């Protein structure tokens, strides 16, 4: 009898070895860890949802243990650390993105692998193998749904698929055999949730559900490690993930070229802390501003052309997108990010301090978003955008097919380090932040992963 999808994924996960990874996959994985940790450190200090999250963790008794959170000198239970690190990793909306899968894989996967590593004193190489396995599982599930159909049903694939990725990552770190990994995936099936309803009011649930996915994956792998029986055929079964969460899934896509093509390598890094659908437009706005030497008062208006998927998140409803009331609103507002880029020549985490800036709010009223056929034609391969700018009595157009940070337009090592420093230096201090970055660069050579989590994080 042919091996099922879940069994094949489980066998791949259990058998993955860091030393057998292509060198470019191992290096990219470490770059993605660096990117996520920068997000965690800054969000621990500044994300508006963090105090309530930490109070909940303490109230539930998840603050008892020796597991660590980046940028935090306190210690937590492994579940608490996975939940906090994963939630913080997604709290700035500055974390990595796989464009075709429409998934932020790092936030749920990496914290689950790290917490599992602390539980068993795993080496950095074991954790790295877990992270790569987790990325492949989460991303391949989203590609098989496919993600657009999953979105149309109101699901958030970073959370739903992320739970399976986190389970695979933790199971691999624990060293579970194929049957154990399969059981972990079967247990994750009972926990995969995530809704797009956060868009209605700028809710903090988007970041929380990704954090919960990280913790639930760790819980699933731990249950499997202790002999708890999970559902068989969790991915492809009649009531399994793919058929329950999308109308016309492609189960065969999950294991296509598994171990030959690495979806982790198709994961991009965000240069701006906002919804990825606005990034091509930000790239265009910054380029036109620089080329034209444009002053904010010269901008008469602009139109951002998007795919339908992009419109869903950053373009509609137009009245709400032109009137963001909080950071989450701003992150998902095409008019805000374009107005900010055109006004200030930047779109960084500190840009959200300008949410109420009168000049930016005035400019937003003259920035429209529309579904553009040229950009629609690029979906889902690319998260493209086209900016049509009216200034100085003229019209300027810039189409960006592959936004900065995508694999085909990836950040250089210097740009990655600059992004990390921009997030972490103000929290840890430049010296400690640099030491943390250097330790992440040696991840696969660490004898005990705890040395990464205990290094400069305690300086905060």
């Amino acid at each position: 009898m042919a091996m099922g999808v879940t069994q094949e994924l489980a066998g791949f996960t259990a058998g993955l070895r860091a030393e057998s990874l292509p060198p470019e996959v191992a290096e990219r994985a470490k770059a993605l860890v660096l990117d996520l940790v920068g997000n965690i450190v800054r969000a621990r200090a500044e994300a508006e949802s963090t105090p309530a999250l930490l109070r909940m963790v303490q109230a539930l008794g998840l603050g008892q243990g020796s597991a660590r959170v980046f940028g935090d000198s306190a210690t937590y239970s492994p579940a608490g650390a996975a939940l906090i690190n994963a939630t913080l990793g997604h709290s700035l909306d500055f974390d990595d993105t796989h464009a075709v899968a429409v998934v932020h894989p790092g936030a749920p996967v990496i914290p689950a692998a790290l917490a599992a590593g602390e539980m068993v004193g795993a080496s950095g190489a074991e954790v790295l193998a877990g992270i790569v396995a987790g990325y492949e599982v989460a991303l391949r599930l989203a590609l098989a749904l496919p993600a657009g159909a999953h979105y149309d049903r109101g699901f958030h694939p970073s959370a739903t698929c992320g739970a399976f990725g986190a389970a695979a990552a933790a199971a691999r770190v624990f060293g579970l055999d194929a049957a154990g990994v399969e059981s972990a995936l079967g247990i994750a099936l009972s926990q995969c949730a995530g809704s797009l309803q956060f868009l209605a009011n700028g809710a903090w649930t988007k970041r929380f559900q990704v954090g919960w996915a990280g913790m639930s994956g760790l819980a699933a792998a731990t249950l499997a490690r202790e002999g708890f029986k999970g559902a068989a055929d969790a991915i492809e079964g009649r009531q399994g993930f793919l058929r329950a969460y999308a109308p016309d899934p492609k189960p065969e896509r999950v294991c296509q070229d598994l171990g030959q093509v690495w979806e982790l390598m198709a994961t991009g890094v965000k240069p701006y802390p906002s919804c990825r659908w606005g990034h091509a437009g930000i790239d265009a706005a910054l380029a036109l501003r620089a080329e034209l030497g444009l002053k904010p008062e010269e901008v008469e208006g602009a139109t951002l052309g998007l795919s339908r998927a992009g419109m869903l998140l950053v373009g509609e409803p137009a009245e709400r997108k032109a009137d963001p009331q909080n950071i989450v609103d701003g992150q998902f507002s095409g008019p805000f990010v374009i107005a900010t880029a055109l006004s200030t020549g930047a779109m960084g985490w500190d840009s959200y301090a300008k949410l109420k800036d009168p000049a930016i709010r005035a400019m937003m009223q003259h920035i429209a978003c529309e579904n553009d056929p040229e950009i629609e034609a690029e979906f889902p391969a690319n998260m493209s955008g086209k900016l049509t700018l009216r200034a100085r009595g003229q019209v300027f157009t810039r189409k960006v097919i592959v936004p900065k940070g995508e694999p085909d337009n990836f950040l250089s090592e210097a740009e990655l380090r600059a992004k990390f420093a921009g997030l972490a230096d103000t929290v840890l201090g430049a010296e400690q932040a640099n030491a943390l970055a250097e330790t992440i660069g040696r991840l696969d050579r660490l004898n005990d992963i705890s040395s990464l989590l205990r290094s400069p994080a305690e300086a905060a």
Side-chain angles (χ1 to χ4, degrees):
M1 192 172 72
M3 187 179 291
V5 171
T6 310
Q7 281 185 307
E8 191 171 346
L9 268 188
F12 165 79
T13 297
L16 197 63
R17 298 288 179 269
E19 59 270 20
S20 302
L21 291 171
E24 65 273 17
V25 174
E27 289 305 308
R28 181 62 59 83
K30 289 189 288 185
L32 295 172
V33 173
L34 178 74
D35 187 63
L36 188 76
V37 172
N39 278 274
I40 292 170
V41 168
R42 190 64 173 266
R44 171 62 184 84
E46 292 189 13
E48 71 277 36
S49 52
T50 298
L53 173 72
L54 296 178
R55 290 194 297 270
M56 179 273 278
V57 165
Q58 295 298 341
L60 290 179
L62 297 176
Q64 311 301 314
S66 58
R68 301 295 181 114
V69 167
F70 290 103
D72 189 334
S73 59
T75 56
Y76 300 89
S77 69
L83 173 62
I84 297 168
N85 276 325
T87 302
L88 296 181
H90 197 51
S91 288
L92 307 185
D93 219 319
F94 211 177
D95 47 327
D96 61 17
T97 312
H98 188 295
V100 183
V102 202
V103 167
H104 302 279
V109 166
I110 293 169
L114 291 171
E118 284 193 287
M119 288 171 69
V120 297
S123 69
E126 292 293 292
V127 170
L128 188 70
I131 288 168
V132 174
Y135 268 74
E136 294 303 308
V137 168
L139 294 172
R140 287 168 171 278
L141 292 185
L143 292 167
L145 284 165
H150 195 53
Y151 256 87
D152 288 344
R153 288 191 165 192
F155 290 114
H156 184 212
S158 299
T160 56
C161 301
F164 289 98
R172 171 61 193 84
V173 174
F174 287 153
L176 301 189
D177 62 13
V181 178
E182 186 180 1
S183 211
L185 295 174
I187 298 165
L189 174 62
S190 294
Q191 306 178 84
C192 51
S195 165
L196 295 177
Q197 190 61 24
F198 67 85
L199 288 165
N201 64 334
W204 297 340
T205 49
K206 179 175 189 276
R207 52 194 74 168
F208 167 73
Q209 61 203 21
V210 171
W212 195 260
M215 187 182 80
S216 69
L218 178 67
T222 306
L223 274 170
R225 185 183 70 155
E226 301 305 327
F228 200 88
K229 186 176 182 179
D233 305 324
I235 307 304
E236 75 277 21
R238 187 178 167 197
Q239 274 83 40
F241 178 63
L242 295 179
R243 289 183 169 85
Y245 283 71
D248 188 27
K250 305 289 187 287
E252 66 279 4
R253 177 63 184 86
V254 178
C255 297
Q256 180 183 310
D257 299 318
L258 184 62
Q260 304 299 317
V261 173
W262 300 90
E263 292 299 336
L264 177 145
M265 296 299 291
T267 303
V269 164
K270 286 184 171 186
Y272 319 113
S274 58
C275 179
R276 191 62 163 146
W277 287 112
H279 283 208
I282 298 170
D283 283 346
L286 294 175
L288 286 171
R289 185 183 192 274
E291 286 175 19
L292 300 171
L294 203 62
K295 296 181 175 62
E297 59 270 19
E298 294 178 302
V299 176
E300 296 153 15
T303 301
L304 176 59
L306 296 161
S307 66
R308 284 191 296 271
M311 286 295 293
L312 173 68
L313 290 184
V314 304
E316 296 173 338
E319 301 77 17
R320 182 172 179 79
K321 298 304 180 184
D323 186 28
Q325 295 300 306
N326 52 56
I327 289 174
V328 176
D329 284 354
Q331 289 171 322
F332 289 86
S333 166
F336 174 73
V337 298
I338 297 302
T340 301
L342 289 173
S343 295
T344 68
M347 182 59 223
W349 180 245
D350 296 328
S351 298
Y352 292 107
K354 298 183 180 295
L355 266 171
K356 303 299 183 184
D357 182 278
I360 288 177
R361 294 196 77 83
M363 188 184 291
M364 277 194 283
Q365 307 313 309
H366 302 285
I367 296 175
C369 297
E370 66 178 22
N371 181 220
D372 186 294
E374 291 180 42
I375 301 306
E376 190 66 52
E378 298 293 337
F379 179 84
N382 295 300
M383 299 176 93
S384 308
K386 183 171 77 177
L387 189 67
T388 303
L389 177 66
R390 298 179 297 283
R392 301 173 182 165
Q394 301 176 64
V395 176
F396 305 91
T397 301
R398 176 61 58 91
K399 182 162 65 173
V400 174
I401 301 300
V402 181
K404 183 72 173 173
E406 286 300 309
D408 292 338
N409 191 11
F410 203 67
L411 301 184
S412 68
E413 185 177 349
E415 288 170 328
L416 279 165
R417 287 293 288 263
K419 176 184 174 181
F420 179 81
L423 289 169
D425 282 8
T426 56
V427 180
L428 300 176
E431 185 179 344
Q432 295 286 0
N434 185 64
L436 178 55
E438 292 291 326
T439 305
I440 292 169
R442 299 192 303 275
L443 175 64
D444 48 344
R445 302 193 296 277
L446 299 177
N447 292 326
D448 185 342
I449 196 62
S450 298
S451 63
L452 169 62
L453 288 115
R454 285 180 185 151
S455 56
E458 297 187 54

